[in-house]
Amino acid sequence: MTDLPKSVEASEVPKRGPKPPIPLSVITGFLGSGKTTLLNRILQDPSMADTAVIINEFGEIGLDHLLVDQASDGILELSSGCLCCTIRGDLVTTLEDLLRRVDNGRMDRLARVVIETTGLADPAPILHTIMLHPYLVMRYRLESVVTLVDGINGLETIETHEEARRQVAVADRLVLTKTDLAQTPAQSESLAALKARLVELNPGAHMLDAQAGEAIPERLFDAGLYDPKTKIPDVAKWLNAEAYEEPHSHGHHQHGHSHGHSHGHDHAHDHAHDVNRHDDKIRAFTLATDRPIPASALEMFIDLLRSAHGPKLLRVKGIVQIAEDPDRPVVIHGVQHVFHPPATLEAWPDEDHRTRMVFITNDLPEGFVRRMFEAFSGALLPDTPDPQAMTENPLAVSGFTSPIRN
Ligand SMILES: Nc1nc2c(ncn2[C@@H]2O[C@H](COP(=O)(O)OP(=O)(O)OP(=O)(O)O)[C@@H](O)[C@H]2O)c(=O)[nH]1
């Protein structure tokens, strides 16, 4: 999985040979956050034609008005041109069934698959199912993780439920729901604090307001490495590393990160928030270097990170300049202990040829990851000591740049 130089080619351009992989997105969000409501709305959008939606229970989702035909294999055809199926058996079987339909011509086109998770689920195992499956990982490509957050109850849910924080951390898109219900000053204030908190937890995810009509398919799902129109990798957009530099300075994002200020609330309440923030162990940060990294060093860095600290890696994305093949960058993508097979791009998509990685970690300090990265990225020349020694006694590396510091 980590033999980087021999990695799979990330060829997305349709051509003879293997079919281009089918984009796959996951919609998650805490109980009652509005997943069904959102799905019902977007399923009526013409751009969702040729989409297959996988949900846990048909009963949960009021799709009756959309149903046309109940097929015998549990896959329903919707009047919008979508298919809908429940997760029968397991997700792998369902995803294989869809491929079979495409391959044997029973389905003309499968433009996208959307999986709705149950509210309490950590979406990571769903991503792992695809990343670890040798066939599915070739036929599907992870396009986006969309996490819905209730604009009224979200802040409290995030502070009290680890699952909710994980859902936020793994997201490419964060959708705020129920913002229409924030009418009192206290509710507006809570919504503002929620937005600030979301930026803090996951600065790279775009935030969309469902009530403002922003949660439309093209903005929800267009979060993959490849531009859906040109099929060209857009690494800068995918990584969105700039967003990590100044987490609180984003245009429409909330500036009022002012939990210490007086809002007329009692002091204890504000103080409780302060404590939660300071105790919080989720960190979002980036690493960057202009020094090419030997393939073996990258492999060891990733192996060590995921084997020793896998559960603490909520999300890792990166583009890496490999010393042996500096003109063809390697793209890495991990969720907890599982990394997608690294993809080698044919060329750098833009002028920036630095290695850049974004991390969202839980209880894994930035300094620790940074030192480990420094040790592996800068010093592992052929005559260097073994990586274990390097990790225990990391060397300082010149040319190493860091957009943000702890
Ligand atoms: N006012 C308002 N209500 C909403 C909005 N989104 C969802 N709701 C309501 O919130 C409730 C829960 O929404 P669902 O769509 O069922 O939420 P869910 O995430 O699918 O719920 P589970 O499947 O139980 O996890 C429903 O009564 C919706 O009508 C919104 O943007 N504004």
Side-chain angles (χ1 to χ4, degrees):
M1 160 168 275
T2 52
D3 55 339
L4 294 162
K6 297 180 271 91
S7 62
V8 293
E9 298 286 320
S11 172
E12 296 279 315
V13 182
K15 57 184 179 196
R16 272 171 292 155
K19 294 187 174 139
I22 298 159
L24 181 147
S25 291
V26 175
I27 296 185
T28 186
F30 216 67
L31 292 170
S33 57
K35 297 181 291 296
T36 304
T37 307
L38 180 76
L39 253 185
N40 263 323
R41 189 157 50 70
I42 61 174
L43 279 175
Q44 300 179 52
D45 189 311
S47 69
M48 291 291 282
D50 303 317
T51 295
V53 182
I54 300 176
I55 55 181
N56 289 285
E57 290 295 334
F58 287 136
E60 277 181 15
I61 181 165
L63 285 171
D64 295 351
H65 58 294
L66 289 169
L67 299 186
V68 171
D69 188 24
Q70 174 127 25
S72 55
D73 58 1
I75 296 184
L76 304 174
E77 291 197 31
L78 308 180
S79 53
S80 57
C82 306
L83 293 175
C84 194
C85 41
T86 47
I87 302 180
R88 295 183 316 147
D90 63 6
L91 181 61
V92 169
T93 315
T94 306
L95 290 171
E96 285 172 344
D97 281 351
L98 286 172
L99 290 176
R100 206 165 297 124
R101 278 183 164 238
V102 173
D103 293 346
N104 68 17
R106 280 162 69 215
M107 196 194 302
D108 285 345
R109 211 170 154 261
L110 180 56
R112 162 183 295 118
V113 172
V114 175
I115 301 172
E116 184 202 340
T117 72
T118 59
L120 278 173
D122 176 357
I126 290 184
L127 303 175
H128 293 165
T129 299
I130 295 137
M131 288 165 140
L132 288 172
H133 194 289
Y135 186 61
L136 294 182
V137 79
M138 286 166 50
R139 299 292 309 270
Y140 292 100
R141 75 175 157 77
L142 296 175
E143 187 183 40
S144 68
V145 178
V146 177
T147 299
L148 274 62
V149 182
D150 180 326
I152 297 296
N153 302 313
L155 190 60
E156 192 183 339
T157 307
I158 284 171
E159 299 308 352
T160 49
H161 289 86
E162 162 107 28
E163 294 300 346
R165 288 194 292 276
R166 287 177 175 270
Q167 289 176 346
V168 169
V170 83
D172 297 295
R173 298 283 182 263
L174 290 165
V175 178
L176 281 173
T177 60
K178 311 192 190 182
T179 50
D180 55 309
L181 299 178
Q183 282 166 355
T184 66
Q187 286 169 331
S188 302
E189 197 181 286
S190 161
L191 180 59
L194 170 63
K195 289 181 184 174
R197 184 77 174 110
L198 295 176
V199 174
E200 199 170 49
L201 286 170
N202 187 342
H206 289 214
M207 214 186 289
L208 305 171
D209 183 338
Q211 284 294 324
E214 294 172 354
I216 54 174
E218 60 177 296
R219 295 183 72 177
L220 291 170
F221 301 129
D222 171 21
L225 178 60
Y226 291 86
D227 182 307
K229 294 190 184 76
T230 62
K231 311 286 186 212
I232 293 171
D234 188 343
V235 173
K237 190 176 119 226
W238 180 67
L239 279 181
N240 199 14
E242 294 76 31
Y244 289 69
E245 293 174 26
E246 289 183 62
H248 307 300
S249 66
H250 296 278
H252 72 282
H253 288 156
Q254 187 52 44
H255 289 255
H257 184 229
S258 51
H259 46 275
H261 298 181
S262 168
H263 300 298
H265 275 229
D266 64 81
H267 179 73
H269 175 84
D270 282 351
H271 183 68
H273 270 298
D274 276 350
V275 169
N276 279 335
R277 283 171 207 278
H278 293 304
D279 278 356
D280 185 45
K281 301 207 171 87
I282 293 186
R283 292 281 176 273
F285 54 91
T286 70
L287 302 180
T289 177
D290 46 20
R291 181 187 290 264
I293 301 177
S296 58
L298 176 63
E299 192 172 335
M300 282 186 279
F301 173 66
I302 290 176
D303 265 352
L304 191 62
L305 257 188
R306 68 187 180 90
S307 58
H309 306 288
K312 298 177 174 180
L313 301 172
L314 300 185
R315 190 115 199 227
V316 180
K317 295 189 208 172
I319 184 160
V320 182
Q321 188 179 42
I322 298 292
E324 295 87 339
D325 194 1
D327 295 331
R328 300 201 314 152
V330 166
V331 174
I332 60 166
H333 178 196
V335 177
Q336 296 174 13
H337 61 287
V338 176
F339 274 70
H340 194 281
T344 303
L345 304 182
E346 280 310 316
W348 287 89
D350 55 37
E351 294 304 301
D352 192 349
H353 293 192
R354 288 172 310 146
T355 290
R356 283 152 284 161
M357 295 187 200
V358 301
F359 287 83
I360 301 182
T361 60
N362 187 19
D363 199 16
L364 186 60
E366 175 180 349
F368 177 86
V369 179
R370 188 175 297 286
R371 280 191 298 279
M372 197 162 136
F373 180 68
E374 286 173 3
F376 280 105
S377 65
L380 277 188
L381 299 170
D383 57 345
T384 52
D386 70 79
Q388 187 69 40
M390 298 296 305
T391 315
E392 281 164 13
N393 183 19
L395 305 180
V397 177
S398 63
F400 184 82
T401 55
S402 151
I404 56 168
R405 306 229 170 268
N406 255 337

